[in-house]
Amino acid sequence: MSYAYQISAPGGPEALQRVERGLGAPGPGEIRIRHRAIGLNFIDVYHRTGLYPLPLPHALGMEAAGLVEAVGEGVTHLQPGDRAAYASNPPGAYADVRLMPAQNVCRLPEAITFEEAAASMLKGLTVQYLLRKTLPVQGLQAGDFLLWHAAAGGVGLIACQWAKHLGLKLIATAGSDEKCQLALDHGAAHAINYRREDFVARVKAITEGRGVKVVYDSVGQDTFERSLDCLRPFGLMACFGNASGPVAPIAPGMLAAKGSLYLTRATLFTHLSSRESTQAMADELFEVLANGAVRAPVGRVRPLSEVADAHRELEARATTGSTVLIP
């Protein structure tokens, strides 16, 4: 027997309920993995509230690390006993043990702990596809400015470090002076407390009126329109989350009026569509973690039994770094 936390209907954190279940052997293309650490992400909130609907009932959680217990027919890149980590569909990481497709599960190097992997797989692969693949038409070169909202969260702190490693000047926004300092400590070139500063004016001052080539925004509704004003002509607005709510529809003419801007709504799982692309992205993430260019931002460690409270804390934007859940 194993257990998992699932929802039977969309709702608040109280909708998460523990259920007992039996697990058999993995089927073709599957593995059985025993989790040692589980990551908490805002996409889990979107699944719980129904913003991203799931067939119900459904366990939640997109990211974890642990030990492979068994492999199904056709799985050749993993063996029983391997340390492994993933950021993968379908949701179901809020469990002690699970069966899952093996395609997006990667062997975890010994140099990276289970907690570090759980704090950085989904978040680190998100940063990888944004900074390395989701690029403005003019590209990004060392010395270029970019704007990153919510930079003191788990994704943002990885982005601060990785951007510095690439020679980019990341302008961070966060909701307190303490969070701004955390972003600076992790490699941001500048930090703006959006609760008491006009981030558009500050970005223009920092860039001497030119604006940034790209804005990476997981906040959504609260920051979208003003972020467009931070972009230079031909700049890219890269939306990858909706923490404050979804962005309202816009007229394409707005992009023209603000300088022939580009707009994309990017998702990690489009990039993880094949075993080869997943492994290539993970290899790059594991390299920067192993060589110290990026440190996994493990924030708070909680038992999985406190997952509802962890959701409340995340939605209140009361977290810094990544919350890790231990089954």
Side-chain angles (χ1 to χ4, degrees):
M1 294 296 292
S2 70
Y3 70 90
Y5 282 84
Q6 69 175 33
I7 60 169
S8 56
E14 67 282 354
L16 286 159
Q17 300 294 322
R18 175 173 165 146
V19 295
E20 304 291 328
R21 60 188 187 176
L23 291 180
E30 291 186 331
I31 65 165
R32 188 173 70 234
I33 183 169
R34 182 169 294 275
H35 294 146
R36 294 291 186 86
I38 300 159
L40 177 71
N41 297 280
F42 232 100
I43 192 172
D44 305 347
V45 174
Y46 302 155
H47 285 145
R48 193 202 74 225
T49 62
L51 180 62
Y52 295 175
L54 294 173
L56 298 172
H58 210 299
L60 301 189
M62 302 294 296
E63 170 185 49
L67 293 172
V68 177
E69 289 192 336
V71 302
E73 180 183 352
V75 177
T76 58
H77 68 286
L78 295 167
Q79 299 296 326
D82 281 348
R83 305 171 78 250
Y86 66 85
S88 178
N89 275 314
Y94 291 178
D96 58 344
V97 188
R98 73 178 292 198
L99 298 174
M100 66 178 299
Q103 174 178 298
N104 297 126
V105 183
C106 300
R107 291 184 66 181
L108 181 65
E110 292 287 343
I112 301 168
T113 69
F114 292 119
E115 290 79 9
E116 289 169 336
S120 62
M121 277 300 285
L122 191 146
K123 303 168 189 70
L125 292 175
T126 296
V127 174
Q128 194 278 343
Y129 90 77
L130 289 170
L131 288 181
R132 305 292 282 163
K133 296 183 175 185
T134 310
L135 301 174
V137 66
Q138 298 170 329
L140 283 175
Q141 291 82 38
D144 282 344
F145 286 100
L146 61 95
L147 178 62
W148 198 291
H149 289 302
V155 174
L157 293 181
I158 292 175
C160 290
Q161 298 172 78
W162 208 327
K164 182 178 181 180
H165 177 62
L166 296 172
L168 303 171
K169 296 180 180 178
L170 185 147
I171 303 172
T173 72
S176 70
D177 290 344
E178 292 76 16
K179 289 187 175 184
C180 285
Q181 187 59 53
L182 190 63
L184 292 169
D185 292 343
H186 281 74
H190 302 271
I192 303 167
N193 182 342
Y194 66 82
R195 295 190 188 278
R196 61 177 180 81
E197 299 180 90
D198 181 340
F199 72 79
V200 177
R202 278 291 312 281
V203 166
K204 291 296 180 67
I206 290 167
T207 62
E208 299 179 339
R210 293 189 297 272
V212 297
K213 280 187 173 181
V214 57
V215 176
Y216 295 110
D217 184 11
S218 62
V219 176
Q221 185 179 87
D222 289 353
T223 51
F224 177 80
E225 286 199 28
R226 298 181 69 233
S227 292
L228 297 178
D229 294 328
C230 295
L231 289 165
R232 63 174 59 184
F234 308 110
L236 172 65
M237 181 68 191
C239 302
F240 67 101
N242 315 283
S244 66
V247 174
I250 69 164
M254 179 189 295
L255 303 177
K258 292 181 182 293
S260 299
L261 303 180
Y262 291 76
L263 169 64
T264 185
R265 178 57 172 90
T267 67
L268 171 63
F269 297 106
T270 308
H271 292 274
L272 300 180
S273 59
S274 72
R275 169 80 204 128
E276 293 75 21
S277 62
T278 300
Q279 191 63 59
M281 292 170 66
D283 287 345
E284 189 168 351
L285 172 62
F286 293 154
E287 179 181 358
V288 295
L289 287 171
N291 68 22
V294 172
R295 290 181 290 113
V298 179
R300 187 165 185 182
V301 178
R302 285 178 172 269
L304 181 55
S305 59
E306 296 179 3
V307 64
D309 288 335
H311 271 235
R312 293 184 183 96
E313 191 175 58
L314 184 64
E315 287 184 281
R317 301 189 196 182
T319 63
T320 56
S322 304
T323 297
V324 174
L325 304 168
I326 306 298

